[in-house]
Amino acid sequence: MTSFVVEADGGSRGNPGPAGYGAVVKDASDGQVLAETAEAIGTQTNNVAEYRGLIAGLRSLLAIAGDGAAVEVRMDSKLVIEQMAGRWKIKNEGLRPLASEAAGLARRLRVTWRWIPREKNKDADRLANEAMDAAAKGRPWRLAGASPAAPAPGGPAASGPSSGRAAGSAPAGPAASGGPAAGFRETASRETGSASAAPATVQDSLLDLIGEEETVAPAPYGPASGTDPETTAATGSGVGTGWRPPTTVATSLLLLRHGETPFSAERRFSGVGDPELTSAGIAQAEAAAARLSRPPYGIQVVVSSPLKRARATAEIVAAMLGLEVEVEEGLREVDFGDWEGHTFTEIQRRWPDELAAWLADPSAAPPGGESFEAAARRVQTTGDRLVERYEGRTVLAVSHVTPIKMLLRFALEAPPSALYRMHLDLAALSLIEYYADGPAVVKAFNDTSHLR
């Protein structure tokens, strides 16, 4: 079933000439416009502008719905539709990079390609012309009556098109089990088949920091003391990518997001509600367990959020490691209050003012819920406590999108807006290493190689 529609268009007044594009994201069920975007792109051809419109539309959809969303892409460009559907070859060398970029975005979605007559693509055509008209007057495009939108989550469009609707640039939704909303959306993976772990002899992911024959925990950041970093890089010897030799043993914090739940599969806000893992979620947890039970991880402690979806994931991993699960209250998901169990579209319709405030201000909370500002204080306190309690050890923390993203942000000393630039899949692994005599180091992010 198609959940969304993307309509895109581009034009050039001269071919080549002053060019622009427009794209609109709609709810497939009722045609409600969720996002509009447009941009003037200087002197270009019609086909370049059309591809740029397609790319902008796909980016806007990913910012709203995350990976795996079902979408029908509609354009009046027969060339672009047929090339993206794989029925026509791309003979123009200048279009190939754009087609490749569009195809990469499309692979993150479930796309149906449909050509439509120009008269049925009026919204995207209007936006493209508005962008070109604005550029002719020396102004950037803005949707009539709209203020600049909030930053898009994990979306590459920050330096690109202007967006005139908050929905089109909503932060990445419910942090917990994968709703389609703003803030820290759990952009859930749609890999619902049985997940299997990689063979024990294959270590090719971001978390594979040492050779497979070694059985110790991931090595500290930076080459071994006394090793010249340029020599290390040239020869491939040594471990790590830093320039500074470590002087203490790292405290390694592996962060695992829980597996799939019914709410994450349906992209609903899931905070302190307690849905259980689906069969696919159990398979994802088992795949993570198989991976983490092998070298080089050497996990010594397993801690978990108290919520069922995280506890169940942690217990599957801990059982394979022969460890007990320690429950850590501070690792729970944000409380979404009255929004629990709702989709982003439902919330946008029922609580438009409250949603707009929540997207714009981390101190604003959902009705009856918890603000991201309050959650950040809780998570930072918890992270500091874990690092102090388990100094020099390797700890697996099973949690949710919001706490994991926040811990990564704190390690990077990044601003709160960095959370909107992160995408976190179900059952994904990330790694932070903490040093008593230096900064925390993020060594891996959103690694899902064990699910492939």
Side-chain angles (χ1 to χ4, degrees), residues 41-68:
I41 55 173
T43 301
Q44 295 291 350
T45 65
N46 281 328
N47 293 151
V48 167
E50 288 162 346
Y51 263 110
R52 291 284 300 273
L54 169 61
I55 290 167
L58 295 175
R59 285 176 172 173
S60 293
L61 174 60
L62 285 164
I64 294 171
D67 289 28

Side-chain angles (χ1 to χ4, degrees), residues 364-377:
E370 178 185 24
S371 71
F372 286 123
E373 188 174 82
R377 290 193 294 268

Side-chain angles (χ1 to χ4, degrees), residues 68-143:
V71 57
E72 183 175 85
V73 174
R74 301 172 183 173
M75 298 182 69
D76 58 63
S77 171
K78 189 76 169 175
L79 176 81
V80 174
I81 290 295
E82 293 298 318
Q83 287 180 342
M84 294 308 300
R87 293 186 288 266
W88 290 5
K89 292 183 179 180
I90 303 171
K91 298 180 180 179
N92 186 329
E93 291 289 338
L95 295 181
R96 287 183 179 174
L98 293 170
S100 177
E101 183 178 357
L105 295 169
R107 282 193 292 272
R108 295 170 56 186
L109 300 160
R110 293 180 292 150
V111 180
T112 301
W113 304 99
R114 181 184 173 193
W115 175 83
I116 56 175
R118 187 174 187 82
E119 61 268 23
K120 292 188 177 181
N121 201 25
K122 290 181 179 179
D123 289 337
D125 179 70
R126 168 182 55 79
L127 291 166
N129 278 289
E130 286 178 0
M132 288 185 279
D133 290 342
K137 298 174 182 177
R139 298 197 302 262
W141 174 83
R142 287 282 184 268
L143 188 68

Side-chain angles (χ1 to χ4, degrees), residues 34-37 141-143 146-152 157-158 161-171 356 359-360 420-421:
L34 304 177
E36 291 183 340
T37 184
W141 174 83
R142 287 282 184 268
L143 188 68
S147 58
S162 304
S163 177
R165 291 183 182 264
S169 57
L359 295 177
Y420 305 152
R421 299 289 184 261

Side-chain angles (χ1 to χ4, degrees), residues 26 36-37 40 53 67 88 114 206 229 231 243 245 346 360 404 422:
K26 299 179 179 179
E36 291 183 340
T37 184
D67 289 28
W88 290 5
R114 181 184 173 193
L206 291 172
T231 303
W243 294 96
E346 290 168 349
I404 291 174
M422 291 190 241

Side-chain angles (χ1 to χ4, degrees), residues 185-210:
R185 178 182 327 127
E186 294 221 12
T187 40
S189 167
R190 292 292 179 129
E191 297 169 344
T192 56
S194 176
S196 59
T201 56
V202 177
Q203 298 280 334
D204 59 358
S205 76
L206 291 172
L207 286 169
D208 297 326
L209 303 176
I210 60 177

Side-chain angles (χ1 to χ4, degrees), residues 7 37 80 95 198 229 269 286 329 331 355 363 397:
E7 296 172 355
T37 184
V80 174
L95 295 181
F269 273 58
E286 290 172 343
E329 177 66 29
L331 292 175
L355 179 61
S363 68

